[in-house]
Amino acid sequence: MQYFYSFKKLLLIAACAVLASCGGGGSNTGGGSSSGADVNTAGLSIAADKSSLAFVTLNGTPSATSDVIRFSLNGAPANATYYAKVESDNQAVFNTSASQNLTSVTVNISTTNVTGNVDGKFVFKLCNDANCGSVAWSRTIPYSIRTYKIDASPISITAFQGGQAILLRNLGYKEAASDLTVRAYADNGSKWLSSQIDSEGRLQVYVDGAGMPRGRFNGTVWVGAKSMPGISLQIQVIADIGAGAALPANRSLDFDASSPSVIDSTFDLTYQGGQSPAWTAYSDKPWLTLGSLSGQGSSNVAYRIDGSKLADVPNFTSDTAKLTFKSAGLDDIVYSITLSKKLPEVIASSPYLLHPSVAGEVRLRGRGFLQLGSIARVKMQGAQITSGTIVSDTEIVLNLPGLAIGRYPITFELASNLTAGYPGIFVASAEALPAAMLDNVGEKKSIAFSPPRNAFYVVNADRAVLQQYVASNGAWSLAKSMPVSSGARLGLTADQQILYTTNGSGVLEARSPDTLEVTATYKCEKCTQMYQDYMWNGLELPITADGRVWLTSSQWSDLMYFDPRTKTFITFNPARVSLSDPKFTVSSDGSRMIVSTGSGGHGESYRYDPLDGQMVMPNNAPPYNYGAGIALSGNGKYLLTGATDYFEVADYRRIGRLPSGTGGYYQPALVSYDGSLIYASAMQYSQNTGTNRLVRLDVIRTSDMTKIGEIPLPTGVSECPTNTNCDYRGALSITPSSNTIIWAGNKKIAAIPIPRDLVQQTPTATRLNLGN
């Protein structure tokens, strides 16, 4: 079918249009044919704005596609009328429509039956009659139909902060830039996504990481045909924006006996995408330093680990230092170095107290000993070690000559030349301390004895004072006195280096054992969270050989300890439920602790080993009477429960029972350092006052559980005139040398030398296996 449009020259001139004013509508499947060559018999001057027409189909979109051509006419005779006609080949269905102002012809082609590329032609004619029997002018305009089959699958692009990334996708035709339009949208509204079509007919998708955080981002690229406004396809864009710079994997290393004092190394800092920005860096730990704190672009970064600055890192713990790199417009990146400090260390020695001029054997317990490789790397300051053996990673046996009175620190030779070892083995007189009756009115709860100083410490609760008594030249004297809180408790570390006291609500004080001055104060916020303060419960501060200071509240409570390595208070609950009124008993060398629980009747007991920091409740642990309490030998090997039954702690083998008539509920008992003797207190009841008082210590030999003697206790040390809330027992303690009893009552403090025939007979320096 053909379409004709008639118009007069006057109208054409007025409208400045020719053929366009003669356009019409309808469809044509190619009826009529082109004459091939252009015709111009009327001398008309007609100009077209295009030499060809182009049509586009997009991924088989069943829709019409259009193109517009514009003509202009000059030189037509006056009052002439012409008829327009458009003819096409038969390769596509088309129709035409004139513009409203008669200046253009829109040619629409239906793409429904177009399956591939098409090249054809249109003939535009201007006829003298309606039937177009006479052609005044004609022009052949070629056309093409390009069928685009675009890959619309998602595009994934990896980019880096501060850099750009591009992905190219072939669209099929070099003419794509003139046929198609593209638009890019980022879901978060930022400007990181853009797109265009290049001269090679490729879709270019850009991701710009400048100012972008790291992460995954989504966007969309819309591709449409210029000849089909409103019709387009969407391509999802997934952009992963990574750090603008890369670092190697974080490093972990051990700092042990073989480590040098300074460790130098390097790593590569690599900027991505050819970037070369300026950077600055810093370390958050003093033991890790950088060779340079700034640089430009990718660099080989030098760093140093300084072992001399590891003092604040607790041994057998890890510390992580972070090197942070900063560049403008990029996220900070961090290189981490985790250092595990594993220097050989001694936790306890057995025995820790020797008698002068007596050769013997000492066992060191600790960890990391196998790193030493040779016993020659174990040194004793002030004396030569006769011989020794590294038994295991946790035990060393030293054979020592007879030593003079004093302190002998143990040290290890390390590749780093850093100090690692043990504060010392002490040598103190084997002679009993002088007898004394020291006036000191006021309630006293605990005593701490220091063999190297021949001194003991006591807190007078009524007078709120901490006191140090020293034995010298055969007599005792009050050497120092310092105010403390009235409810203060005290404890001395096994290495004799720190005297701890409590002060009020939730405060632990570290003091010099020599001056009594406070050297450090630690606030325990957790301690006041229960209705009773952890700092107030109990008689003394239990301190184990690993330096932990143990605390508890009364009634139902967790356990808590102060860790001297980290300077923090840590809740510890072996039962995973609140314990009923727990109490602590620690051996004098700090090598073992028993925690007893239960109100009345028979309770449970837990055993703590400072070597591995584990607290266990053995299935075969013996029952005991809670009210009577328990006592440990100084070396932690033997346990008296309920003031009646005696056990070997290693396997809880029952050794025997106190003889009839000795010991009893609520009567304190003491055990010698080596466990060979028990000193069980005996009390006497007064009908006149209705009160009790301690009158003697029954001495029991544990090898056969036989009473071998008595030690009378002086009167007037602790007195209760009436049956009131008065503690007649006071604080009863035995010195680590097991040769003197110190009894602090509410009236006096008594130093009671133990008769020679009632002192332990095993030399203090004999071999004692703390592993059992």
Side-chain angles (χ1 to χ4, degrees), residues 16 23 26 63 87 123 147-148 225 229 234 280 296 352 358 400 467 475 660 696 702 723:
C16 298
S63 175
E87 296 177 347
V123 178
T147 302
Y148 283 88
Q234 303 176 34
T280 59
Q296 186 80 34
Y352 76 100
V358 178
L400 302 180
Q467 298 169 318
S660 176
R696 71 176 186 274
T702 60
N723 189 10

Side-chain angles (χ1 to χ4, degrees), residues 328-399:
L330 307 182
D331 283 355
D332 295 350
I333 57 173
V334 176
Y335 183 63
S336 297
I337 298 177
T338 299
L339 182 143
S340 297
K341 186 177 176 182
K342 296 181 178 179
L343 298 176
E345 73 172 345
V346 178
I347 295 176
S349 65
S350 175
Y352 76 100
L353 179 65
L354 305 180
H355 290 163
S357 304
V358 178
E361 184 179 276
V362 171
R363 292 198 171 209
L364 306 179
R365 294 185 72 201
R367 48 192 170 183
F369 295 156
L370 290 179
Q371 299 176 36
L372 298 171
S374 170
I375 197 68
R377 297 176 71 179
V378 182
K379 303 296 181 182
M380 174 178 282
Q381 294 183 22
Q384 291 291 325
I385 297 172
T386 304
S387 62
T389 304
I390 300 176
V391 178
S392 67
D393 199 52
T394 59
E395 185 177 17
I396 292 176
V397 175
L398 299 179
N399 295 303

Side-chain angles (χ1 to χ4, degrees), residues 689-770:
T689 62
T691 61
N692 295 308
R693 70 182 184 91
L694 298 182
V695 294
R696 71 176 186 274
L697 297 175
D698 293 322
V699 184
I700 293 91
R701 185 175 58 217
T702 60
S703 59
D704 55 5
M705 300 306 290
T706 300
K707 179 177 175 179
I708 62 173
E710 297 179 356
I711 302 175
L713 294 177
T715 59
V717 174
S718 190
E719 296 180 354
C720 295
T722 60
N723 189 10
T724 58
N725 186 21
C726 171
D727 183 9
Y728 67 90
R729 294 167 297 185
L732 196 64
S733 176
I734 188 170
T735 61
S737 295
S738 298
N739 55 22
T740 305
I741 303 292
I742 306 293
W743 183 22
N746 56 19
K747 299 296 184 183
K748 296 179 183 295
I749 300 175
I752 307 166
I754 300 175
R756 287 182 178 274
D757 59 343
L758 299 179
V759 175
Q760 66 179 22
Q761 299 303 305
T762 307
T764 307
T766 50
R767 174 171 176 167
L768 296 172
N769 187 356
L770 268 184

